[in-house]
Amino acid sequence: MRTQVAIIGSGPAGLLLGALLDNAGIDNVILDRVDRQYILSRIRAGVLESGTAAMLDHAGAGARMHQEGLVHDGFSLSFAGRRHRIDLKGLTGKSVMVYGQTELTRDLMDHRERLDGKTIYNAKHVTPYDFDDKPYVTYEKDGATHRIACDFIAGCDGYHGVSRASVEGRGLEHFEKIYPFGWLGVLADVPPVDHELIYANHTRGFALCSQRSLTRSRYYIQVPLEDKVEQWSDQAFWDELRRRLPRDVAEAMITGPSIEKSIAPLRSYVAEPLRFGSLFLVGDAGHIVPPTGAKGLNLAASDVHYLFEGLREFYAEKSNACIKAYSGRALARIWKAERFSWSMTSLTHRFPANGEFDQKVQESELDYLSSSNAARTAMAENYVGLPY
Ligand code: FAD
Ligand code: DHB
C-alpha cells in the first residue's frame, strides 16, 4: 500500500490531522493498535480552548459540539472556604467549550467513516522505518505483515507509543517532572454542582468539580501515588470530595453511582526536537502536562495545526519551509502550556514535602489573584489558550 501521510494513532491528534488532510485532498492512513470501542471507552479531557473547537469546525466535525457542548465564560478557584471567580470572557473576550474528549473522538471517527477514510484498527507491532530517506511503516494484522510506503509519518501515538521510542538515541532530549500525587477521577450521571468548574485548594488536598453535560459530572481529588482505585468506594470518594469544597458547594452536591473511576499520575514531560526527517512527534507522543488547566488535548490540537500547515504547504506549494519549522513552532507553544500547567498544579495542590514557607507562598499567590486584575488576566489568557 502507498499513501502520502501515514498516521500512527487514532486519538484526537491522529484523527484531527487525518480530517484536515482529507479536506485538503492529501491521502492518509491511520493505524491504531486497539479498536474503536476501546479508544472511545477512555475517559480523559473535558475542556476545549476556542482554537481547538475552531479546528474541529475546520475539520468538518464540529456540528454536535455546537449543539451539545457547554460554553463556559469563567471558572472558580476555592481556597480556605472562599471562592474567587476567574471571568474568562470579561478578562480575555474568550470562552472555553466543555465537551468530552470521548465525544470529540467519536465525532471525528464518524466523520472519517462518512468520507471513507482508511483506518486500520488492531494493527499490531506498528513500526516506522527509514524516515531519513524513503519512509515506510510496517504492521501486523490477521497473521500477516503489511507495509505502507509514504512521504511522511505522523507519530500521534501517545506517551507510550512507538514513534518516540523509534527516535531514541538520535539526539532526542527529555525534560521531565514527576509530581508526588495522582488524580482520582469519577464520572457520574448526576447534575453538576455548579454551572462552572471549581478548582479547590484544601488542606486535605486538591479537588476539581468538572462536568460533561447538564446531567453528567466529572469530579477529581488529589490522592497519594500509592493509592489504588479499589481502595476508593463511591461513598468514600463523595465524602472526601465534599470535605475539600466550600460548605455551600458541598451541601448542594448531588451524588450517585460512578460510571467510571480511575487514578492518573501527574507528570510534566517534553521531548525535543519533535521532527526527525519525515517523522513528526505530535500530541502526547511528544509531551505530557499534568491535567490541571486542561491543556493536554488542546496542545495535541495546536501541534496538529502547525504540522498540517507544513504538510499543506509542502503539497500545494512544493516548499518544506513550514515542515522544517514544525518542531520549533510547536515547542514554543508547548513550553508555555507546560509552564501554565505546572504553575496551576503548584498553586492548587498540597505537596507532601512542602513546609510552611511554601504554604505561605501558595496562599499569597491566591491572595494576589483575588486582588489583582493583572494576575487574573494572565491566568485567564493562558486558560483560554494562547494564540497559535
Ligand atoms: P492519545 O489520546 O493517547 O492517542 C494515542 C493513540 O495512539 C491511542 O489511540 C493509542 O491506542 C494509539 N497507540 C499507542 N501506541 C500505539 C502503537 N504502538 N501503535 C499504534 N497505535 C498506538 N487532558 C486534559 O486536558 N484533561 C484531562 O482531564 C485529562 N485526563 C487524562 C487522563 C488520562 C488517564 C490520560 C492518559 C490523559 C489525560 N489527559 C487529559 C490528556 C489528554 O487526554 C491527552 O493529552 C490527549 O489524549 C492527547 O491526544 P493524543 O491523540 O496525542 O494521544
Ligand atoms: C477536566 C480536567 C481538567 O484537567 C481540567 O483542568 C478541567 C476539566 C475534565 O476532565 O473535565
Side-chain angles (χ1 to χ4, degrees):
M1 193 195 305
R2 180 166 173 89
T3 188
Q4 288 172 303
V5 184
I7 301 173
I8 308 177
S10 180
L15 286 162
L16 209 40
L17 180 62
L20 295 173
L21 292 174
D22 282 341
N23 290 348
I26 301 169
D27 192 52
N28 63 90
V29 174
I30 298 183
L31 296 148
D32 204 292
R33 68 174 162 199
V34 295
D35 64 15
R36 177 188 155 108
Q37 213 35 53
Y38 184 90
I39 295 167
L40 289 176
S41 70
R42 297 188 293 222
I43 307 297
R44 293 185 174 177
V47 179
L48 308 185
E49 297 172 355
S50 51
T52 307
M55 280 184 69
L56 199 59
D57 281 335
H58 289 157
R64 195 164 68 99
M65 171 187 71
H66 288 292
Q67 280 164 16
E68 297 178 18
L70 304 170
V71 175
H72 281 206
D73 292 340
F75 68 87
S76 289
L77 287 168
S78 134
F79 184 64
R82 287 181 298 154
R83 259 172 86 172
H84 308 286
R85 182 167 184 269
I86 305 292
D87 178 4
L88 297 172
K89 187 80 187 277
L91 292 163
T92 67
K94 291 185 189 163
S95 310
V96 291
M97 175 75 82
V98 170
Y99 192 62
Q101 176 167 337
T102 315
E103 306 311 318
L104 173 141
T105 306
R106 187 191 308 279
D107 293 346
L108 286 165
M109 283 177 167
D110 289 350
H111 177 73
R112 190 166 179 86
E113 270 170 30
R114 275 195 300 275
L115 296 185
D116 267 339
K118 186 141 182 67
T119 304
I120 301 162
Y121 292 115
N122 292 315
K124 305 300 176 198
H125 305 294
V126 176
T127 314
Y129 287 103
D130 210 8
F131 30 85
D132 285 327
D133 189 15
K134 293 192 171 63
Y136 63 96
V137 175
T138 62
Y139 65 97
E140 285 169 25
K141 185 156 180 173
D142 302 328
T145 301
H146 306 266
R147 177 182 168 127
I148 306 177
C150 53
D151 301 329
F152 298 101
I153 302 170
C156 303
D157 48 350
Y159 184 67
H160 299 287
V162 65
S163 301
R164 196 178 68 254
S166 69
V167 294
E168 197 60 70
R170 297 181 39 138
L172 182 73
E173 284 194 85
H174 310 270
F175 303 89
E176 186 172 46
K177 186 174 183 64
I178 308 277
Y179 300 83
F181 39 72
W183 277 18
L184 169 62
V186 157
L187 189 70
D189 275 329
V190 292
V193 69
D194 197 86
H195 68 290
E196 292 180 346
L197 271 58
I198 304 171
Y199 293 80
N201 176 326
H202 188 271
T203 47
R204 298 180 65 90
F206 168 80
L208 168 59
C209 304
S210 183
Q211 53 194 265
R212 291 291 177 272
S213 71
L214 297 176
T215 56
R216 181 168 285 188
S217 300
R218 180 70 165 158
Y219 293 111
Y220 297 97
I221 54 173
Q222 171 186 347
V223 293
L225 268 182
E226 313 76 56
D227 275 21
K228 300 274 171 277
V229 75
E230 302 76 45
Q231 284 168 245
W232 284 90
S233 66
D234 285 1
Q235 193 56 49
F237 176 84
W238 294 119
D239 289 346
E240 186 57 31
L241 176 65
R242 280 199 177 103
R243 283 189 202 108
R244 299 182 186 190
L245 298 170
R247 183 187 294 244
D248 60 324
V249 178
E251 283 172 359
M253 167 128 1
I254 298 173
T255 63
S258 63
I259 49 178
E260 196 266 358
K261 199 192 285 165
S262 52
I263 294 182
L266 269 67
R267 179 195 304 268
S268 297
Y269 169 79
V270 182
E272 290 195 15
L274 297 174
R275 180 177 77 92
F276 294 82
S278 46
L279 180 141
F280 306 91
L281 301 179
V282 187
D284 277 17
H287 44 80
I288 295 285
V289 285
T292 335
K295 289 285 161 252
L297 168 59
N298 291 300
L299 272 186
S302 60
D303 288 359
V304 167
H305 166 84
Y306 296 123
L307 180 57
F308 172 67
E309 275 198 343
L311 294 171
R312 194 203 52 75
E313 184 190 76
F314 177 84
Y315 287 110
E317 297 163 34
K318 310 262 177 296
S319 158
N320 61 6
C322 216
I323 278 176
K324 284 188 170 165
Y326 167 71
S327 182
R329 291 178 78 196
L331 282 167
R333 192 172 189 279
I334 289 161
W335 273 113
K336 292 189 190 86
E338 290 284 347
R339 185 207 67 78
F340 176 66
S341 307
W342 160 82
S343 104
M344 205 153 155
T345 303
S346 307
L347 177 70
T348 52
H349 289 66
R350 295 286 159 147
F351 288 70
N354 273 6
E356 279 179 32
F357 182 88
D358 308 273
Q359 193 54 44
K360 289 279 185 192
V361 168
Q362 205 184 44
E363 286 169 24
S364 82
E365 195 175 337
L366 282 152
D367 203 28
Y368 179 46
L369 270 170
S370 66
S371 63
S372 161
N373 210 46
R376 279 195 298 273
T377 304
M379 174 175 268
E381 174 175 70
N382 282 276
Y383 193 91
V384 298
L386 297 174
Y388 287 178

